[in-house]
Amino acid sequence: MVTPRNASNRVGLIAEKIRARKTALGIEFGSTRIKVVLIDDEYETIAAGDHSWENHLENGLWTYGLDEVWSGVQDAYASMAHDVATAYGESLRKVGSMGFSAMMHGYLAFDESDDLLVPFRTWRNTNTHEAHERLMDLFQVNIPERWSIAHLYQCVLDNEPHVSHIAFMTTLAGYVHWRLTGRRVLGVGDASGMFPIDPDTHGWDAALIRRFSDLPEVAGQPWNIADILPEPLVAGHEAGTLSADGALLLDPTGTLQPGIPLAPPEGDAGTGMVATNAVRVRTGNVSAGTSIFATVVLDHPLERLHPEVDLVATPAGDPAGMSHANNFTSDLNAWVRVFGQFAKAVGLTLDAGTLYGTLFRAAISPEADADAGGLLNYCFYSGEFLAGIEEGRPVFARGPEASMTLANFMRAQLFGAFSPVKIGMDIMTKDEGVKVDSLVGHGGIFTTPKVAQKILAAAFDTPIKVMSTAAEGGAWGMAVLADYLWHADVPLADHLDERVFAGSRSTVEGPDPADVAGFEEFFANFMRGLPIEKAAINAIPLER
């Protein structure tokens, strides 16, 4: 039991750490939330803030306005700083180190005057199929539709007028870092979602740079691809300091002071690896949010080219295989909102934890059939490459003899959400023989005990670990990477094992044979039913 005196002592101790700059700040731009996390030198979260935002369609492409980037991060930072002032009586003038991460891939292109040439094109856009196919054939490396180089090449193929004016291109994390430090750099993990990385040099693959540059339609451009990309940096490398203008961009009150060292800006895949202690060879994690990806640090190169598997890098630069699905929680959240509206209509006030927990637990209750009773759900808000779907249309379907119950409905929701990512994961583990010593679940969906763990264990037929940090998210992982600036003499995997996660707690759920068989039956029906989704694309307009 914590006595008031002990609580007071803890507040005083943390206040002293804040004054002594024994802190690290991590900020992550997720698809639906910008989150700011301040940790101490024991990796405990001592303050946090967030800001909700949503992408929107503009001329048929998913985007966020850059004004939303800055208003959003300012709001989230102000919330965190208020947390510090309220809880510890301190004005946050300095932190020991800081770093930014964001959703990977996409396309941000600027001219020589540093002006944005076209609206930010996010990872969610799948208009780059031609570029994906041509580059995959040229490189003999999978180049997913959402990768930055696919976006750039599609612009070249489409003769978009802005292309000849490009002076610099980057990701969202790279853009924010650049504006705050003046440095055009990128963490190697995020960089690996722009253009292939050489696993030996941890820089751009020089041979593939040459192949791309030699394409006639590229050779005719006034720029060289190597000159317009940011510089990749491994974790622990110095990546600049917060400028005076950058400090005001983040904190317009002027309280935050410049000069704070910054870690290389990373992608959400890399921060997910860090937050789950999955950067060592043969470890893996499943990061679930608006999108979902399963990443395994490879113990050997893949023998064949697989369009369903992305080859990326850990923040330390080691090769990793990723199965990435564009869609995960958007449709699930929409259905939960409907149930919440029903509860309100009958006079019940349910907090989010109770609402989600009650519905999720129904999915693993005895009333749920192992195969979800013949129900099907496709959570495709946007196109899904793994399933061969070019556009998104969320669809729930069932036959007249299906068992339509709440338990089966929620089971179908969760089974359907995990099905696309299973496609690439099966290729790695079953076709390529990739070994996985541990697989860790990460993201808010794992905060309801056991439910997502059990279903993911059934999907992958492997034990799933959830750590006590599962809900901390990528912002916490980025704060850990920022702190790593002071420990870079130790390999990142060792640092995480021996210092960050030395006392962490975890739970493990093994695969239940009945659940595994039920998921396999659902998954077979899911794959057979994909023509339903394609018919919906033809029948339902993208915009009402």
Side-chain angles (χ1 to χ4, degrees), residues 29-106:
F29 294 79
S31 298
T32 60
R33 187 171 62 153
I34 302 169
K35 187 169 183 181
V36 180
V37 168
L38 184 69
I39 65 172
D40 65 10
D41 55 350
E42 296 178 345
Y43 307 101
E44 294 290 334
T45 297
I46 57 176
D50 63 18
H51 172 87
S52 295
W53 69 341
E54 288 284 351
N55 55 190
H56 56 273
L57 278 171
E58 185 174 319
N59 297 321
L61 295 173
W62 293 102
T63 187
Y64 301 84
L66 295 190
D67 57 335
E68 298 175 82
V69 171
W70 297 111
S71 62
V73 74
Q74 288 168 5
D75 181 48
Y77 179 87
S79 176
M80 180 278 303
H82 177 73
D83 205 1
V84 170
T86 301
Y88 312 111
E90 293 292 326
S91 294
L92 195 60
R93 298 176 57 80
K94 285 273 193 176
V95 295
S97 55
M98 61 190 299
F100 295 87
S101 59
M103 57 191 104
M104 292 175 65
H105 321 296

Side-chain angles (χ1 to χ4, degrees), residues 21 23-27 36-39 70 73 77 80 92-101 176-177 180-181 237-243 246-247 249-251 256-266 475 477-486:
R21 303 178 193 170
T23 53
L25 185 68
I27 301 177
V36 180
V37 168
L38 184 69
I39 65 172
W70 297 111
V73 74
Y77 179 87
M80 180 278 303
L92 195 60
R93 298 176 57 80
K94 285 273 193 176
V95 295
S97 55
M98 61 190 299
F100 295 87
S101 59
V176 173
H177 185 96
L180 296 188
T181 67
H237 198 287
E238 182 273 327
T241 58
L242 183 66
S243 68
L249 257 180
L250 189 57
D251 178 18
L256 185 67
Q257 298 300 297
I260 299 167
L262 268 76
E266 262 298 347
M478 191 64 239
V480 171
L481 283 173
D483 173 80
Y484 182 63
L485 287 173
W486 312 113

Side-chain angles (χ1 to χ4, degrees), residues 339-350:
F339 284 109
Q341 290 163 7
F342 171 78
K344 186 176 181 180
V346 297
L348 297 176
T349 301
L350 302 178

